[in-house]
């Protein structure tokens, strides 16, 4: 039997304020994971954080406002943020773009 619970797991979901990133963050939260949202728009991050479900009492959702187009700043923010975390179990490395073309 497949156990799809993500209880006691922590997931980082990049590009999580819209599209597939948002959908993945919602699905992981619904399965019980604590989700760390990463995107560049803090207002959208706050809105999505509030929308995520909390089916388990030990779940906690957070966000990190960072812009993937500024790699040095991103590295600094992530390093600092993650130094305060115990363990990350899941990484969804998703970003917006590149812009569609021919």
């Amino acid at each position: 039997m497949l156990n799809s619970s993500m209880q006691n797991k922590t997931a980082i979901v990049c590009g999580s304020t819209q599209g597939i990133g948002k959908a993945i963050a919602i699905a992981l939260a619904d399965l019980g994971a604590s989700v760390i949202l990463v995107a560049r728009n803090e207002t959208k991050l706050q809105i999505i954080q509030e929308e995520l479900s909390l089916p388990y009492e030990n779940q906690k959702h957070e966000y990190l406002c960072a812009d993937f187009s500024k790699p040095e700043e991103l590295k600094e923010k992530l390093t600092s943020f993650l130094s305060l975390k115990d363990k990350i179990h899941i990484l969804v490395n998703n970003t917006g773009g590149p812009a569609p073309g021919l």
Side-chain angles (χ1 to χ4, degrees):
M1 181 174 173
L2 178 65
N3 180 358
S4 60
S5 173
M6 294 285 174
Q7 186 177 12
N8 300 316
K9 303 293 184 198
T10 300
I12 294 178
V13 182
C14 303
S16 52
T17 56
Q18 58 188 19
I20 196 167
K22 179 181 175 183
I24 291 169
I26 290 168
L28 288 170
D30 288 349
L31 291 171
S34 293
V35 179
I36 300 168
L37 306 164
V38 182
R40 64 180 170 227
N41 185 315
E42 188 165 15
T43 301
K44 286 183 179 181
L45 284 165
Q46 291 169 341
I47 291 168
I48 302 306
Q49 181 185 18
E50 291 298 317
E51 290 178 0
L52 296 179
S53 65
L54 295 161
Y56 298 101
E57 66 180 60
N58 62 339
Q59 262 181 294
K60 178 182 178 187
H61 304 308
E62 303 173 83
Y63 69 84
L64 174 63
C65 188
D67 189 341
F68 278 74
S69 69
K70 300 174 183 174
E72 289 305 313
E73 181 181 309
L74 173 66
K75 181 180 176 181
E76 185 179 309
K77 284 184 174 185
L78 273 173
T79 300
S80 176
F81 186 84
L82 294 177
S83 71
L84 305 173
K85 302 296 165 208
D86 182 38
K87 187 182 249 186
I88 303 299
H89 302 93
I90 302 160
L91 169 63
V92 179
N93 197 15
N94 169 60
T95 63
L102 301 172

